[in-house]
Each structure stands twice: as C-alpha cells, then as structure tokens.
Amino acid sequence: MGSPRFARLIIGVFAVGLVLAILTPVYSDEIGWRLQERGWLDGVDKLYSEQCGPSTLARPLWFMWPVRWYSAFFNTGFPDPFWVRFSGVLYALAWAGLLLALIRRMAAGAAQNRAVAVLMLGLLGLGTLPLQLVWSRPEQPILLAALGAMLVAWNGRERLSWWRPAAITLLAGIALSYHFKALVLIPLFLACIVPQRSPALWRLLCAAALLGLTAASAQYWFARLSCPADAMLAAQHAGQSLHYEGSLVKLALRALANDNLPAYVTLAAPDVTPMSHWLPYHLVTKPEQIAWSAAMIGLWFIAFLLAGGALWRAVRRGGIKAALDLRVVFALLLFGIASAYASVQMVRNCYEAAFVLPLLAMSFACALCAEPNGGPRLPTMAAITGLAMLLSMVMVGAIYGPSLIRAAQASGYLAEQPLSVPVFHYDRARAMIRKAAALCGIDPDNHQQRLLIDDATYFTFMQSRLPDHHLSVLDPQWRGAVTDPLSYLKSQGMDGAVVHCRFLDPATRRHARAADGVCCLSRAMF
C-alpha cells in the first residue's frame, strides 16, 4: 500500500473527484460574494442590499483594486455559471498541487512523501468535501495565497533573496483583499517572512508593511459587516460569532467551550438536510449521516494523534533547534489558527469545512514531515485512509450522482435546490430571462439600470449598476427591517426586478409580469 503505484492511484482519484465535482450546482453564496466585491464595476463594494446604511457601500482600499479588476474582468468576460464552477475546480486542483509540492519539499524522502500525501488527500477526499472544495468562494484564493507563501518561505531559508519577503507580503495583501477570513492567517504570513535569508531591515520593513495592510483591512472589513441602519440585521451579524461583553475571562472560557473542530468534519459528511438545499434533501437517513460523521471524525482524529506524536518526538529529539524548524512552526500555527477560528464561530455553515479542514490538513502535513519518518504508524494509517477515500468516492457518487446528473441537464433553476443554479445550458436560461425582462421594458444591455436579481438572473444583468440580491429584500429571514419589498425598492430608486416567481410573496406577485416562471417588475409597478 505504500508503493508509488498506490500513491499515484490516490492522487489520480482525488483529482478526478475534483474534476467530476464540476457537476455541483453553483450555490447562492458563490454568487453572493461576487455581488459584494464589484468595486471595479460600481466604484464601491456593497452588501446584498443597502438597508444597512452608511456601511453598505464601501470604496475598496488601494491595494484591493487589482483583485477587484481581476474579478470584474473574468466575471463580465465569462458571465455563465459554468465558468464559476470551472474556476472553482481549477483553484481546487491548483491548491492540491501546491499542497503536494509543499509535502514533497518538506518530506525527508520518497516514502515519507508518498505516505503523507496519501494521508492528506485521503482525508480531503472523504464525504462531500471534494464537492465543497470546488465552491468558488474567497476561501480558495486565501488558501492558495497561504500555501504559496509557505512554499516561498520554505525555498528561501538557505538562499539570499530580496524578493521573497516582498512576495509573501504581496500574497498576504491579495488574501486580505478577498475576505476578512484572511485576517486570521496573518501570523502565518509573518512566520513566512521571518526566516528568509535577506537583510534584517528589509524583512522588518516587509513585516511592518504587512501589519499596516492588516490594520487597514481589519478596519475595512469590520466596518463593512456592521449594520448601523438596521438593528435586526446587525443582531444577525453579531450572532454569527463570539464578541467581547466586558470580561476577557468570560470571553476566553466561552471560546474554549466553543472550540469544536470535529463539527467541521461533520459538515463534510452526507447530510439528511444539507444547508439551504445545496444538495437534495433526504438522500441519506439519519443513522447513515451519524455513521458517516463518526467514521470521518475517527480518521481525522487518528491523523491528529499521528501529527501530534510526530511533533512531540521531533521536538524531544531536537530540542530548541527542532522547535524552531519551519515545519514545526507552520504545523503549530496552522492548527492554532484553525482552532481559534472555530472557537469564535457561533454559526457554522457547510462551506466553512472547505476552509478549516484544508488548514488542518496543511498543519498535519507539516507536523508529519517534521519527524524524519513521520512515525511508525504513518504508512499503515495512510493506506487505511487512502482506501477509505476510495470507498467514500464510490459511495458519495452512488448517493448524489443521479441528482448531480439531473442538475447538469437542467438550465436556469432547480426544483430540488432552490438556492442553486445549474452549471450547464445557461444560454437557454438567458433567453428565458431576457424574454421575461422585456415584458417590463428591462434591457440587459442598459448597464445604468439598478435591478433586483436572483442567482440565475445575475449572470444576465451582471453589468447593471449596484444590483440587489433577492434574499436580502424578499426573504423574511434575511431582509431585516424590510417589511414591504416594493416600498424598499422604490425608496432605493431601483429600476426594476427580474427574479424567479417563487421568490415573490403573493402580494408582490400580483404586481409582476411573468414568462416561463421568471417574473419582472418595472419601476412603475412599485
């Protein structure tokens, strides 16, 4: 099982699993975060809608503009759900490739390299995690930037270089441009700068620049997530995570009690009722869900024990020098970051598994490479996990394959998954959406219009000005203090709405015109 052939099999099957995950419908949040980073198109970033008040529209910081341009260029050049999923698959493959490259450089030999690679890909291939890893969300570029910085740092330990500390700072800036989650990775980026063989003053300047970017980003992201004009939404945002309530001791105790890393493993297990129907409901039973979760937690926990044991033996054998080894530093930092992130999260959505579990895999890989052979049980555990991954891929394919194939044959909307968009055949949906919009005099080529859109219509009206997302206006769970959607749209000076009719309540539906299940509202109808 420790042969090169078995390792190639695991790597190949994992890669094929990611490629086949292109069938996964595009989930609403993948489109929603694109809606929130439209600075290059609109001049400002925004939230789903504008009821939060002054914090709703925010001009990106100077170093964020290249990322905004990159996003606008590719999204407007390829306005189709297929390219969203394609980019997600591409990013996931690139991240897996970087992980394998890092393991190869850190491992003591070919046998250890194979065993660690098989174990990590085996863990990452369990359950529905391969489907979640291809979600095109900000976690992907953030994790890519982190792995890139680690590779640059590892290769720069023994070579005099001016560009490496600057490159690490640049990668951190890219990560900070995408999402506030990058803030938790700043200790890792700093740790990548410190060991570089470049003048100390230069490293100090790069570290200071990184801290400056971090301070500015923290202010930017926290201000954007505040909601001074809508108390209901502000309370929702505050309830997502722990916050200071006057006592550091109480906060620390609550964080410690809330630190539940196994919960992220269960988020990647087949579920009876997956979050927001990102996969169809009731394709597994509750006992089956529990069995999946228990088996996956068991494998991840054994990997944790192996990694912890390897770290302990490495430090005990090498003392202070071993404790300062970059592999040990990376392993401890990554585990601490994942644990700290988990400790403050009060609401854990399933896409968080695609952030926390890769961090743990990176941590375990560094830890196992810190000891020359990774421990006596590493080859056995790698073989067991690799076989479990192969079995998991087959079982997940049997459970969800038929629904994924049905979704791939649809266009525009899915009855079983109301908050997801089919990956293929968007041209048919675009024609249907344009037909419905025409009933209200809404022209997709008029980029000055302000519209209310849904996940499918966004691709047709991507270049409209400051669009609002239907969830934040029409869905009672997410619209905060908005009680009358039509009055809100009128007060914001919106020019119309083009959404699927199922998202409209009966009162609003009476004002709308419809074609093929897509409803439109013109300004006159408000």
Side-chain angles (χ1 to χ4, degrees):
M1 291 297 181
S3 67
R5 182 177 297 179
F6 183 69
R8 288 195 295 268
L9 173 66
I10 296 301
I11 293 170
V13 170
F14 183 79
V16 169
L18 293 181
V19 171
L20 291 177
I22 199 169
L23 298 174
T24 309
V26 176
Y27 175 60
S28 177
D29 207 71
E30 298 179 76
I31 296 160
W33 84 265
R34 283 170 165 76
L35 193 76
Q36 298 180 66
E37 297 190 352
R38 291 172 46 93
W40 195 265
L41 296 174
D42 297 325
V44 291
D45 288 340
K46 69 187 295 291
L47 300 178
Y48 273 44
S49 62
E50 298 185 22
Q51 67 259 45
C52 279
S55 68
T56 297
L57 304 178
R59 187 170 177 79
L61 300 175
W62 62 270
F63 65 88
M64 296 179 175
W65 284 105
V67 166
R68 298 297 181 271
W69 173 85
Y70 172 87
S71 177
F73 177 81
F74 283 101
N75 283 319
T76 57
F78 304 92
D80 190 299
F82 171 79
W83 295 109
V84 174
R85 180 57 65 241
F86 180 84
S87 71
V89 171
L90 197 63
Y91 274 54
L93 288 170
W95 181 84
L98 288 181
L99 178 63
L100 292 177
L102 183 67
I103 293 170
R104 185 169 62 252
R105 283 165 173 76
M106 288 185 168
Q112 185 181 37
N113 170 37
R114 290 195 299 270
V116 175
V118 167
L119 178 58
M120 294 307 107
L121 294 188
L123 292 172
L124 292 167
L126 296 174
T128 60
L129 188 55
L131 305 181
Q132 290 154 277
L133 288 174
V134 302
W135 280 9
S136 181
R137 282 181 40 88
E139 292 87 356
Q140 286 193 315
I142 290 172
L143 289 169
L144 272 174
L147 259 180
M150 292 168 68
L151 274 167
V152 170
W154 182 259
N155 292 336
R157 296 165 302 137
E158 300 174 355
R159 302 176 185 175
L160 183 63
S161 173
W162 287 74
W163 69 266
R164 292 180 188 276
I168 293 165
T169 305
L170 176 63
L171 287 168
I174 291 172
L176 289 167
S177 301
Y178 273 101
H179 201 273
F180 69 87
K181 287 178 181 175
L183 292 168
V184 302
L185 288 169
I186 295 307
L188 177 68
F189 287 111
L190 288 171
C192 290
I193 291 175
V194 171
Q196 298 304 299
R197 285 199 63 199
S198 56
L201 179 60
W202 178 238
R203 282 179 284 151
L204 184 62
L205 288 174
C206 288
L210 174 53
L211 290 174
L213 295 178
T214 302
S217 297
Q219 185 177 14
Y220 170 82
W221 288 113
F222 290 139
R224 279 199 66 193
L225 294 174
S226 67
C227 195
D230 192 318
M232 293 177 66
L233 284 180
Q236 278 185 333
H237 292 174
Q240 297 287 313
S241 58
L242 289 178
H243 52 279
Y244 179 69
E245 295 179 343
S247 171
L248 287 175
V249 174
K250 288 184 179 179
L251 179 63
L253 291 174
R254 291 182 64 203
L256 189 61
N258 192 53
D259 190 358
N260 185 6
L261 288 173
Y264 295 90
V265 180
T266 66
L267 293 175
D271 196 338
V272 178
T273 54
M275 181 191 75
S276 301
H277 297 84
W278 80 271
L279 289 171
Y281 278 14
H282 305 300
L283 294 186
V284 294
T285 65
K286 194 63 177 179
E288 289 170 340
Q289 177 184 342
I290 293 171
W292 272 96
S293 297
M296 290 170 60
I297 289 173
L299 290 171
W300 277 91
F301 183 67
I302 294 172
F304 164 72
L305 293 178
L306 288 177
L311 276 183
W312 169 253
R313 289 188 295 273
V315 173
R316 187 180 60 180
R317 183 180 298 116
I320 296 297
K321 184 178 179 181
L324 296 177
D325 185 292
L326 206 50
R327 289 166 292 202
V328 175
V329 173
F330 283 164
L332 293 175
L333 271 176
L334 285 163
F335 187 81
I337 287 167
S339 186
Y341 184 77
S343 70
V344 298
Q345 268 208 314
M346 299 301 294
V347 178
R348 298 182 175 98
N349 296 313
C350 67
Y351 48 75
E352 303 293 355
F355 182 60
V356 173
L357 297 185
L359 289 178
L360 291 178
M362 292 158 63
S363 172
F364 296 168
C366 293
L368 291 167
C369 290
E371 191 185 21
N373 60 7
R377 295 178 178 82
L378 174 59
T380 301
M381 185 58 193
I384 291 172
T385 306
L387 291 173
M389 185 267 274
L390 296 176
L391 179 61
S392 173
M393 287 278 189
V394 172
M395 294 176 68
V396 167
I399 295 168
Y400 295 111
S403 67
L404 293 176
I405 292 172
R406 287 197 302 273
Q409 295 169 342
S411 65
Y413 298 92
L414 296 169
E416 293 180 287
Q417 298 163 262
L419 294 181
S420 295
V421 178
V423 172
F424 302 101
H425 312 302
Y426 189 73
D427 286 345
R428 299 204 305 251
R430 196 189 308 274
M432 179 177 67
I433 290 165
R434 293 179 73 101
K435 177 182 175 182
L439 298 176
C440 297
I442 298 172
D443 181 6
D445 298 320
N446 180 0
H447 299 161
Q448 295 306 307
Q449 296 173 116
R450 292 201 60 201
L451 300 173
L452 179 73
I453 50 82
D454 63 26
D455 298 315
T457 61
Y458 178 63
F459 292 97
T460 301
F461 297 100
M462 188 177 291
Q463 296 193 56
S464 61
R465 187 170 59 91
L466 293 169
D468 276 7
H469 194 277
H470 76 97
L471 282 178
S472 62
V473 178
L474 302 176
D475 191 321
Q477 183 179 357
W478 302 111
R479 68 188 185 191
V482 173
T483 55
D484 185 344
L486 294 182
S487 295
Y488 166 80
L489 295 174
K490 184 176 182 179
S491 71
Q492 295 297 317
M494 303 295 281
D495 294 300
V498 186
V499 299
H500 196 280
C501 297
R502 66 187 173 198
F503 298 130
L504 300 178
D505 60 50
T508 306
R509 176 71 179 82
R510 285 196 294 270
H511 296 272
R513 295 174 181 171
D516 301 318
V518 180
C519 282
C520 71
L521 291 158
S522 66
R523 181 185 295 189
M525 298 174 185
F526 296 163

